[in-house]
Amino acid sequence: GEDVEQSLFLSVREGDSSVINCTYTDSSSTYLYWYKQEPGAGLQLLTYIFSNMDMKQDQRLTVLLNKKDKHLSLRIADTQTGDSAIYFCAEPRGYGQNFVFGPGTRLSVLP
Amino acid sequence: NAGVMQNPRHLVRRRGQEARLRCSPMKGHSHVYWYRQLPEEGLKFMVYLQKENIIDESGMPKERFSAEFPKEGPSILRIQQVVRGDSAAYFCASSPGVGSSNYGYTFGSGTRLTVV
């Protein structure tokens, strides 16, 4: 299909790991992205992964890419209350100037 | 570096009025992108502009919406004769160029338009 898909909600306890999943559509995408949106704010680029990589780790963040299944995931280790936000995966379209975003996963971190 | 600046942060308009949303890209960025986020939804691409040129407006509604990025000054997204369905958050992003957008855009904080 045309849409980037994500589950809409995820709740975890503080200190646990969070895994946010995304299914994208364009197998030729060179980069895939994760953005974070806090309440009332714009989108902040969290991390990205090049399509020839399977995994990328950046401190508490781990991105896994399964190109065969067009599946992207974001793992947040030791989740904190400050991680509560909406997480969007995105893929470029066209010549890379147009991004298609998933609907966002709302992460709630419970104390 | 002040980042991408959007103003106003909040805008209230009555049905039928015009809304003007402004976006100043990051210093050194010549590419601007507008996205719309409807309540509880993801962002939808609207238009991509370079200085004085519209490159891709495939996401713009056919009527009432227009965008410009003049040689001097901010990019403007203009919505004429607003209707309730235009209520949304409008985000602007910028990048130095198409190739560099591989590393993702820089987004502004958005303008939240409410039509009453």
Side-chain angles (χ1 to χ4, degrees):
Chain A
E2 289 287 320
D3 293 341
V4 175
E5 296 181 349
Q6 297 177 243
S7 52
L8 297 181
F9 300 97
L10 176 66
S11 290
V12 300
R13 293 215 173 269
E14 196 172 8
D16 287 350
S17 292
S18 308
V19 179
I20 302 171
N21 295 304
C22 169
T23 303
Y24 61 97
T25 61
D26 188 352
S27 57
S28 65
S29 294
T30 51
Y31 290 86
L32 293 152
Y33 305 84
W34 284 103
Y35 281 85
K36 177 183 180 182
Q37 184 181 32
E38 295 181 358
L43 273 71
Q44 169 195 351
L45 178 64
L46 206 53
T47 188
Y48 62 91
I49 187 168
F50 189 45
S51 59
N52 69 352
M53 299 169 67
D54 297 323
M55 186 180 84
K56 178 180 178 181
Q57 188 146 6
D58 183 2
Q59 299 182 339
R60 291 191 298 122
L61 304 179
T62 303
V63 180
L64 295 177
L65 175 60
N66 180 334
K67 285 193 72 174
K68 175 176 169 290
D69 295 335
K70 296 183 194 170
H71 185 262
L72 182 71
S73 68
L74 174 69
R75 179 176 180 270
I76 306 173
D78 187 24
T79 312
Q80 304 296 308
T81 54
D83 296 323
S84 293
I86 304 176
Y87 292 81
F88 295 94
C89 67
E91 62 171 339
R93 292 279 169 86
Y95 296 106
Q97 73 277 14
N98 173 0
F99 280 64
V100 176
F101 287 84
T105 299
R106 187 179 296 272
L107 174 64
S108 299
V109 182
L110 308 173
Chain B
N1 192 336
V4 178
M5 303 301 292
Q6 288 189 249
N7 66 84
R9 287 294 303 275
H10 300 275
L11 181 61
V12 178
R13 284 287 177 265
R14 293 189 182 281
R15 279 180 295 171
Q17 290 184 320
E18 179 180 285
R20 278 182 176 246
L21 288 63
R22 286 177 289 278
C23 169
S24 295
M26 281 186 71
K27 189 175 180 181
H29 287 192
S30 58
H31 296 236
V32 165
Y33 316 81
W34 286 94
Y35 283 76
R36 175 165 65 175
Q37 184 180 32
L38 294 170
E40 306 300 322
E41 292 188 16
L43 276 74
K44 304 292 185 190
F45 170 77
M46 298 182 75
V47 62
Y48 160 43
L49 310 105
Q50 296 177 26
K51 285 282 188 182
E52 300 185 278
N53 286 303
I54 297 174
I55 307 302
D56 180 356
E57 56 182 347
S58 58
M60 287 280 269
K62 293 285 184 277
E63 297 176 348
R64 302 188 297 107
F65 284 71
S66 62
E68 62 177 8
F69 188 16
K71 188 176 179 182
E72 301 290 338
S75 175
I76 306 286
L77 179 67
R78 183 179 175 215
I79 312 171
Q80 294 177 289
Q81 298 174 316
V82 296
V83 301
R84 287 231 170 97
D86 297 331
S87 295
Y90 292 82
F91 290 96
C92 170
S94 72
S95 72
V98 172
S100 58
S101 68
N102 283 336
Y103 303 105
Y105 305 145
T106 301
F107 277 90
S109 297
T111 293
R112 281 151 183 85
L113 172 65
T114 303
V115 179
V116 297

